[in-house]
Each structure stands twice: as C-alpha cells, then as structure tokens.
Amino acid sequence: MSQSTLNPRTTSFEFSGVIGALSISIGLPLVCVVLNQLIRPDYYIKGFFSNFDFAQLWNNIKPLNWYLTNCEMWTYYLAWFFGLAVLDVTLPGRNMFGVELRDKTKLPYKINGIAISATMALVVAARWQLTGGQMPELQYLYDHTVDLCIITIIFSFLLSVACYASSFVPLLKKNGSGTRERILALGGNSGNPIYDWFIGRELNPRLGPLDIKMFCELRPGMLLWLLINLSCLHHQYLKTGKINDALLLVNLLQGFYIFDGVLNEEGVLTMMDITTDGFGFMLAFGDLTLVPFTYSLQARYLSVSPIELGRVYFTAILGVMCVGYYIFHSANKQKSEFRQGKLPNLRSIDTDRGTKLLCDGWWAKSQHINYFGDWLISWSWCLTTGFQTPLTYYYVLYFATLLIHRQIRDELKCKHKYGASWVKYETAVPYKIIPYVY
Ligand code: NDP
C-alpha cells in the first residue's frame, strides 16, 4: 500500500478551517473559565443579568506564569493523570479489538473501567475513614476549581502539541501496510500545522500500551467530573451539616450516567471519536477540561445556591431522566442487537455494502433517536437548578450543538458510504433527531 493510499491528504475543512480552529481554541477555553468564574461562591449569580459585573470575571485569575510554574498544582494534576494511566495499563480487564484500520489491522484495547472505578471508590472510602470525613483532597478540589481548570487547559495544549509532533516520528515496527508510517486521521492530514494540531493528526496516538485518545475520553476527565460533583456534596455537608435534595439529585443522576458509561465502555470502540477523529486539541480539551469543568456546573451552582426541590419537583425531574435514559438505552440496544442479527423481524433497507439500515421500532421515529434520549437526560440535570439563572442551562445548549454537529457529520459519512440506500432511508425516516420537529 503506498503512503498516499494509507494516509490521503485532507482536502475538505471543518469548522471553517484554520480561522475556526483558532477561534474555537481561544474561545472555548475562555468560555470555560468565565463559566467557572461566574459560578464560584463569591460571585453573585442569582440575578445573572441584573448583577453581571464584568470586572469580577477576572477576579482571582493569576498571571499565566503563575499557572505555568505552580509546582503544587502540576504535581497534583500530573499525579492524577499519570496515576490513572498506570491503573489503566495495569488493572485487569477484558481484552478487545477496535474496528479494522486502513492497514487492515485492529488495535487491542483493555476494557477495565469497572476495576478502575472500584479502585477509586475504595480510595475515596479509605480517605473518608482516615480523615474522619474531612477529605482535604476534596476540599482542595472545591477551593481551587478555577485554577485547576486553567491547569487542564494548559495541559491539553501541551498534550496535543506532543501528539502532533510525535505523529511525524516513524513507527518502530512496520504496520500492516508494510511501512513505518503512522495511520493519520482522514480529517487531520491537511498539511496546515494549526488545523492538524486542532483536529488531531494521528488517529490513535499511543504511549506504549496506553491508547491516549481512549484513555482521555474515559478516565481523567470523566472521573474528575465525578469528583468535582462529590466535592460540592462534601462541601455542603461540612458547611451546613445537611445536603439539599437538588444537589443530591444532580449527583445521583450524573453519577448514574457515568456509571452506565463505564458498564457499556466497549461501545466507545465503535464511536466516531475513536474510529474516525484524530487526537488533537479539540478532543484533548473536550475530554480533559470541558467535561469535568462544565458538566459539573449544576453541582457547583447548587453548592453555592442551595435549592430544596420538594417531592413533586424531585419526582418530575427523575421522570425526565428515566424517560431520556429509557429512549437512549433501548434505542442503542435495539440498533446493536439488530446489527448482530438478533432482530430479523424489524423492517430495514438493504445497502450495497451488504448491511441493512434499520427503519423500524425506535429507528422509525428519527435517524438519531438515541441523541434525543441523551438530550432529555441533559435537561434533567439542568432542571435540578430551578430557574434562577440561565448559566446552568449552558449544558443543554452546548449538548444540542454537539449532537446536531455530530448528526450532520454522520449524515455526510452515511450519504457517501450508502449512496442511494441512504436516500431511501431518509425518505422512510425523515426526522433527524427529534420526531416531528427536526
Ligand atoms: P449512533 O449510535 O447514532 O451511530 C451512528 C452510526 O450507526 C452511523 O454512522 C452508521 O454506522 C450506523 N447507523 C446509522 N443509522 C443506522 C440505522 N438506521 N441502522 C443501522 N445502522 C445505522 O451515533 P454515535 O456513535 O455518534 O453515538 C452513540 C451514542 O453516544 C449515542 O447514544 C449518543 O447519544 C452518545 N453520545 C454521547 C456524547 C456525550 O458527550 N455524552 C457525545 C456523543 C455521543 P455504519 O457506518 O457502521 O453503518
């Protein structure tokens, strides 16, 4: 296989090319810091619009040099990141293979999220016992959230620069195509350093047995999100001796979502992020900063502005989560079982590739009915914060944008892959995500 066949040049650009890549790389970290600044305890967030104080936004933010040279914070964060990496490589798990790559090989992955989560739960329980419930680590996390957020932005930048640079280093062993060339992402090989660094040049950068993309997607960000939520619960308990039902609910709902992700971890192996996208600043920042520091905004808000939901509202929110989860879970399960040949009675459309496109059951309602369920789940999290500030609703907006962008990318991919069969499928299932709406 020639080099150009293995790694063809990227000729179409997403996010409006370099300008978009630069704008997102500067804009999204800023949004992330601003949201975390606005939600912090000493900022009055209840009347968001009437009390908006622009000068306060930069209060507490130190000069860049302070972050770059802060040994204490770097030690904590690097211990967290590399400690988890060591656990990821050493703890036992199920060995699986990813999808077939362009050189006809498949990469091995270890699915050990349950072992890692159990280890983390044990460590938290032991620290609770040893510190008499004081848990100084959780208090540190709660008190330094904004600073840690900035540290993770710098780390994401450095990690993506390192991955971009290493994508030019030839492999030690020959790959399946008989060359030492690394497999690059189809979308990240434009030749423009800024664009490729942002999108991710190499498809699956690895450090020894550690798959950096899969690791970042599942471990340091997701688990930090869980710990930040827990730190809010802990903070409220230490401060008031009780926990409000709203904060408890958001912890339970998001904890369940993360746990469900761990239980169904192997599903990530066939997701677009792993099969198609390179690992660049976009994914590094998304996994390591955006997930932990913006998905936890509801819990952080509720630890500052406690809300008592009461039984009716509590049950209603739980209902939204259950409906969302039911759609999300049963739709994903239905597609997965159908593709394994377990549901032969469901209506489908034959494709030239020999596979079938399901257009029955959940998959008759919309082309991505699973996204709709996921979006409903995001509503349940935001609703726990009541209606006092739009800030905590950032997540439903952000997630809607992410899902629509994903749907558009997937549609392009499927149109190209399935041609006339996809057109037939679109006629049978006209709605994209929300039945009868979009
Ligand atoms: P989907 O699960 O919808 O998978 C899309 C792929 O499935 C297509 O590319 C195509 O792949 C195949 N496909 C599409 N339609 C059909 C059909 N009718 N019948 C059979 N096969 C079909 O999307 P994702 O992989 O993006 O998402 C997986 C889950 O992850 C979703 O539930 C989503 O909500 C969730 N998610 C969560 C995120 C978060 O941050 N919380 C972020 C993104 C996703 P092929 O080429 O193999 O045919």
Side-chain angles (χ1 to χ4, degrees), residues 307-324:
I307 292 177
E308 218 28 92
L309 291 171
R311 213 174 291 171
V312 173
Y313 202 46
F314 188 100
T315 314
I317 294 173
L318 199 58
V320 176
M321 168 81 185
C322 289
V323 172

Side-chain angles (χ1 to χ4, degrees), residues 22 76 97 116 127 135 147 193 202 234 256 324 326 337 376 382 393 399 405 412 418 429 435:
L22 272 177
Y76 287 146
F97 285 97
I116 291 186
R127 289 298 295 155
M135 308 278 287
D147 291 337
E202 189 174 352
H234 181 254
F256 174 77
Y326 175 65
E337 289 184 350
L376 278 183
C382 298
Y393 285 81
F399 201 45
H405 178 245
L412 277 176
Y418 297 120
V429 186

Side-chain angles (χ1 to χ4, degrees), residues 217 222 225 257 267 270-273 291 295 328-329 332 335 338-339 348 355-360 363 366-375 381 395 398-399 402-403 406-407 410-411 413-414 417-418 422 425 429:
E217 182 110 356
M222 292 279 265
W225 170 23
Y257 187 81
T270 51
M271 270 170 68
M272 205 186 281
D273 315 36
V291 168
Y295 288 28
F328 165 78
H329 187 74
N332 279 333
K335 176 154 71 82
F338 173 78
R339 300 190 100 181
S348 61
T355 56
K356 291 170 188 287
L357 290 168
L358 177 60
C359 53
D360 205 351
W363 298 88
S366 78
Q367 293 166 18
H368 286 281
I369 190 71
N370 49 351
Y371 288 7
F372 177 53
D374 218 350
W375 195 53
W381 302 347
Y395 184 65
Y398 156 79
F399 201 45
L402 181 143
L403 292 175
R406 221 177 158 89
Q407 172 267 315
D410 196 55
E411 185 173 303
K413 181 201 102 174
C414 290
K417 187 170 174 183
Y418 297 120
W422 187 259
Y425 171 69
V429 186

Side-chain angles (χ1 to χ4, degrees), residues 170-220:
L171 290 168
L172 289 176
K173 280 197 227 150
K174 283 187 179 172
N175 63 26
S177 68
T179 71
R180 291 205 158 79
E181 219 184 336
R182 289 169 191 265
I183 298 184
L184 306 181
L186 288 177
N189 185 24
S190 71
N192 183 300
I194 295 177
Y195 185 78
D196 294 348
W197 157 80
F198 172 77
I199 291 284
R201 189 165 183 270
E202 189 174 352
L203 185 60
N204 301 297
R206 290 196 155 204
L207 192 62
L210 185 78
D211 188 280
I212 298 175
K213 185 167 63 168
M214 175 103 161
F215 170 71
C216 288
E217 182 110 356
L218 296 175
R219 311 281 183 243

